[in-house]
Amino acid sequence: MATETAPAHTPPLPRPMRADARRNYERLLAEARTAFTQHGTDASLEDVARRAGVGIGTLYRHFPNRTALMGAVFQGEMNALLTRSRELAKAPQPCTALVDWLRAIVHHASTYRGLAQALMACSGDESSELSRGCRLPLREAGSELLARAQRAGAVRPDVVIADLMQLTNAIALAVEQSPDDPELADRLLALTFTGLKAH
């Protein structure tokens, strides 16, 4: 006799935002992006809310903490980086493609003072919004480029993506701390390229 099973519970879809809530959300994102660019990721959230014309409580209703706001601000750049990784997955030289990908991450992370440090800090917390929205998708995309370069025999087999991501964030942090040395990123990436190559 067949046993009946209860129908699977499907969680309700999130309700769409009201028009005024959507406007507040977009204004907060725009002001946060400006603040993070001008003052770094430790910019005052009270100032962000004030410039958006809302109270700090409204900011926290949309973004429960700073990392949630950072993840939302950087979503557009993340999408562009993921698109770039798919393009590089078809490049003829897998090792060069991997280093070009790392260069794109360094450029992105050094655009916002404090982002590289925040990404390094969240490396042990996969539940954080910044990890879920930024670090983990980047690591997954980088893993594919690294595996392709290793299959081609261009990169040492003992290289792991977690180390590469930490190294890339460290380069971005060094670039952030040395604004008068525009060639620093390329020099450090060239050293990385030398260390990656299979002998």
Side-chain angles (χ1 to χ4, degrees):
M1 178 176 170
T3 57
E4 293 184 7
T5 56
H9 176 68
T10 304
L13 293 173
R15 293 171 55 188
M17 281 190 208
R18 298 190 326 258
D20 59 336
R22 170 58 65 181
R23 281 193 299 274
N24 289 341
Y25 180 89
E26 297 297 342
R27 278 201 303 265
L28 285 164
L29 276 184
E31 292 299 338
R33 185 173 288 108
T34 299
F36 290 164
T37 302
Q38 293 176 349
H39 307 293
T41 57
D42 59 351
S44 165
L45 297 188
E46 287 80 4
D47 284 349
V48 169
R50 182 175 50 78
R51 291 176 182 277
V54 301
I56 190 66
T58 298
L59 184 149
Y60 283 122
R61 273 196 297 278
H62 287 291
F63 309 103
N65 52 50
R66 183 179 297 271
T67 56
L69 179 57
M70 288 166 63
V73 166
F74 305 140
Q75 192 58 56
E77 287 96 334
M78 284 302 103
N79 292 340
L81 284 169
L82 295 176
T83 298
R84 180 68 177 139
S85 75
R86 289 190 289 272
E87 293 167 355
L88 287 168
K90 302 169 189 168
Q93 295 180 306
C95 188
T96 303
L98 177 61
V99 174
D100 286 348
W101 163 246
L102 299 180
R103 181 177 289 107
I105 294 175
V106 168
H107 176 73
H108 163 65
S110 56
T111 301
Y112 301 95
R113 191 175 73 250
L115 176 56
Q117 187 170 351
L119 287 169
M120 291 175 81
C122 77
S123 64
D125 180 11
E126 298 197 351
S127 66
S128 79
E129 289 86 349
L130 198 57
S131 264
R132 290 198 312 269
C134 297
R135 193 181 64 82
L136 293 176
L138 288 179
R139 189 174 72 183
E140 184 177 334
S143 293
E144 294 175 12
L145 292 171
L146 173 60
R148 180 173 177 256
Q150 288 171 323
R151 284 194 302 271
V155 169
R156 290 167 28 200
D158 61 332
V159 175
V160 296
I161 193 60
D163 291 348
L164 266 187
M165 297 303 292
Q166 286 289 71
L167 180 60
T168 303
N169 286 323
I171 292 173
L173 191 55
V175 169
E176 178 187 304
Q177 300 295 322
S178 307
D180 298 328
D181 188 354
E183 307 301 321
L184 180 61
D186 284 334
R187 292 200 311 274
L188 294 177
L189 284 166
L191 290 172
T192 301
F193 181 79
T194 301
L196 288 175
K197 284 166 49 172
H199 300 293

